[in-house]
Amino acid sequence: MTEAFLHYLWQHQMLDKRLDTTDGQPVVVIRAGDLNRDAGPDFFNARISIGGVEWVGNVEVHLRSSDWNAHRHSADKVYNNVVLHVVYEHDAEVFMEDGKIPATLELRRFVHPAVAANYEMLMSPGIDDGIPCAKRLPSVPSLVLSSWLDRLVIERIESKLEVVHRLLDESRGGWEKTCYWLLARYFGGKVNALPFELLAKATDKGLLARWRDNPHRLEAILLGQAGLLDGSFLDDYPNELQADYEALRSGAALVPIDPSLWRLFRLRPSAFPAIRISQFAALVAAAPSLFSTLLTITDVRQMEHLFDCEAAPYWNNHYHLDKPSARSCVKRLGHQQADILIINAWVPLLFAYGMAIGQQFYKDQALSLLQQLDAEDNAVVRQWCAAGIKPDNAAQSQALLQLKNAYCSGRRCLDCRIGHNIIKQSK
Ligand code: SF4
């Protein structure tokens, strides 16, 4: 038994209907009150009839009555307007600061054993890596599940808004600039997110737009700004890029970022920074006003196609400048990476835009894009599939990721609609 569970039982009145105080007075709860997570009594503004007299006031909840003394409430005037002391076990008579004895309700007499057992099952140790309620999921109505997933996907998007708002602040509300920075960040993946973001910030979007018809020069600017064109090269291609970059450098006041920021560790060669930068240059060439372009795209396949850009032909048989590779292949970003950009960058940005201008339409469009994408395939999603919940699309797989990471892993079953449904079963 935990105090959090007692709060939950009281808040949802998951108790037998016929209640009485420890001194035998019948209790009827008209209003459980508002849960207070700050200092002071646990529930404010409750309305309770005790022994036929209606009271309006606060409710304090404890595991044992003696906790009242342990928490020094007997010396605190704030607790003088407690109308009911709700405890799991009544082990001591207590007094308020004004000398009165609070009416006390002992919950252990009124909690259905099945409800307590369901909670115990959810909290039982030893299943931290999996989904603690997996065996009980089939008993949860599909409507409960689907409405919960609809809510969780929004939470998942909201959890990604912090970086959007940070970039939006830094760009002083410039949506185009934020879009360009954010997409650059996600082009870098987990490993090179920071240098990619710094690269985008160090490279004026206007300059790139000016050279939109010259992909070679775009690549030269971005690779030069990434600090990857320093030194001397043997191949013609990097020498040409270097010459292009140097020709612009002083006139455009270009200052490269620190090249030591780039990381190759644990990266597949196809995700090496120079290749990703070449692909990013191709994206900028295809849509210099990225934000305005993306706003017009409602079909996710069209968006995947735009993001699935191709690195310059030099990279077909190179992973590094001047170092030919044994295998040759066209280096496209790929649909999987394009989907990652849509899910993690564009959808949150579009959602934030809808919020900022008060247009539900854009928030719906963000959700629609997720619904059009295939569900992701990763370790967490596979756990849900093994438990019998198979997502139909990326909106549902994102919701399941949110559920596992933000609820199951922290055992927040009392805040979860599935947990709520399971706990009250057999009541
Ligand atoms: S948080 Fe919800 S889904 Fe996760 S284990 Fe608890 S009840 Fe189940």
Side-chain angles (χ1 to χ4, degrees):
M1 193 53 62
T2 63
E3 217 163 86
F5 187 48
L6 296 184
H7 287 158
Y8 174 88
L9 291 172
W10 178 258
Q11 187 175 17
H12 297 281
Q13 286 298 296
M14 227 176 261
L15 306 166
D16 287 348
K17 286 282 167 260
R18 293 160 64 90
L19 305 173
D20 55 43
T21 59
T22 47
D23 60 357
Q25 310 255 24
V27 173
V28 178
V29 180
I30 302 158
R31 190 172 184 275
D34 305 318
L35 181 60
N36 167 37
R37 296 187 193 277
D38 298 321
D42 294 312
F43 290 87
F44 288 142
N45 298 321
R47 272 183 70 199
I48 302 168
S49 163
I50 302 171
V53 179
E54 195 174 310
W55 297 84
V56 176
N58 303 331
V59 171
E60 179 66 0
V61 178
H62 286 127
L63 284 170
R64 287 170 212 85
S65 317
S66 54
D67 291 340
W68 179 279
N69 295 330
H71 298 170
R72 298 175 173 276
H73 298 334
S74 47
D76 192 340
K77 282 186 180 146
V78 169
Y79 290 85
N80 281 350
N81 59 358
V82 164
V83 293
L84 189 64
H85 188 201
V86 175
V87 301
Y88 187 67
E89 185 188 342
H90 182 50
D91 65 342
E93 206 68 271
V94 299
F95 295 89
M96 297 197 275
E97 186 271 344
D98 58 11
K100 291 181 188 151
I101 297 174
T104 303
L105 179 76
E106 191 183 40
L107 278 192
R108 69 176 171 174
R109 293 167 48 221
F110 306 111
V111 180
H112 195 290
V115 168
N118 289 337
Y119 174 67
E120 219 168 283
M121 179 278 297
L122 289 174
M123 293 298 127
S124 57
I127 36 181
D128 283 339
D129 289 341
I131 295 155
C133 68
K135 286 195 179 129
R136 299 287 293 272
L137 285 173
S139 68
V140 177
S142 55
L143 198 63
V144 171
L145 204 58
S146 61
S147 68
W148 185 215
L149 294 187
D150 288 349
R151 172 61 217 153
L152 286 166
V153 69
I154 305 287
E155 264 188 36
R156 177 77 177 172
I157 295 172
E158 286 170 349
S159 74
K160 296 176 187 176
L161 294 185
E162 194 182 327
V163 64
V164 174
H165 288 137
R166 173 175 65 80
L167 295 178
L168 205 52
D169 279 352
E170 290 177 36
S171 71
R172 299 203 180 131
W175 291 96
E176 278 292 350
K177 203 182 258 187
T178 300
C179 181
Y180 163 60
W181 290 349
L182 190 66
L183 282 169
R185 186 180 167 83
Y186 279 97
F187 253 78
K190 282 190 183 133
V191 176
N192 284 309
L194 176 65
F196 239 109
E197 182 184 322
L198 294 176
L199 167 62
K201 286 176 173 171
T203 312
D204 179 38
K205 237 180 86 1
L207 176 70
L208 297 178
R210 217 172 304 146
W211 294 102
R212 62 169 301 189
D213 295 329
N214 187 338
H216 188 273
R217 190 150 282 200
L218 285 179
E219 187 174 350
I221 296 170
L222 286 166
L223 282 174
Q225 285 295 83
L228 299 180
L229 293 180
D230 274 355
S232 51
F233 299 98
L234 297 172
D235 288 352
D236 289 344
Y237 189 70
N239 279 314
E240 288 161 15
L241 290 173
Q242 194 179 48
D244 267 7
Y245 179 63
E246 290 303 331
L248 284 170
R249 190 170 180 168
S250 56
L254 295 174
V255 180
I257 66 165
D258 177 359
S260 70
L261 291 171
W262 297 105
R263 297 277 175 265
L264 303 184
F265 187 58
R266 290 202 178 137
L267 275 186
R268 283 176 293 111
S270 59
F272 280 177
I275 294 172
R276 283 280 190 261
I277 290 169
S278 181
Q279 291 161 342
F280 189 61
L283 176 64
V284 172
S289 299
L290 263 170
F291 183 70
S292 315
T293 304
L294 290 170
L295 271 188
T296 64
I297 302 177
T298 53
D299 175 22
V300 88
R301 302 298 158 219
Q302 200 186 335
M303 196 168 288
E304 278 177 330
H305 183 70
L306 176 69
F307 284 142
D308 184 17
C309 28
E310 190 176 316
Y314 176 82
W315 299 106
N316 289 357
N317 56 357
H318 288 82
Y319 289 108
H320 301 278
L321 292 167
D322 264 358
K323 289 186 189 159
S325 58
R327 275 186 61 231
S328 175
C329 65
V330 173
K331 304 287 191 320
R332 300 194 75 87
L333 186 71
H335 272 212
Q336 212 180 339
Q337 287 304 315
D339 290 356
I340 289 173
L341 286 177
I342 296 170
I343 292 171
N344 293 313
W346 178 245
V347 163
L349 185 64
L350 184 60
F351 196 86
Y353 183 63
M355 283 169 67
I357 64 168
Q359 289 276 353
Q360 182 67 30
F361 168 79
Y362 292 111
K363 291 158 78 176
D364 292 344
Q365 192 169 313
L367 284 174
S368 159
L369 289 169
L370 288 180
Q371 284 158 353
Q372 292 174 58
L373 281 176
D374 291 341
E376 299 141 283
D377 179 21
N378 54 41
V380 171
V381 171
R382 284 194 287 276
Q383 278 185 341
W384 284 110
C385 290
I389 299 185
K390 194 171 175 313
D392 292 332
N393 52 49
Q396 291 188 353
S397 57
Q398 283 287 296
L400 291 173
L401 285 172
Q402 180 70 8
L403 180 53
K404 179 71 171 69
N405 297 339
Y407 290 82
C408 307
S409 297
R411 295 293 178 97
R412 288 182 57 201
C413 303
L414 296 181
D415 298 323
C416 167
R417 289 190 204 165
I418 293 172
H420 184 65
N421 189 276
I422 290 174
I423 288 171
K424 70 180 186 183
Q425 284 173 13
S426 307
K427 181 178 173 275

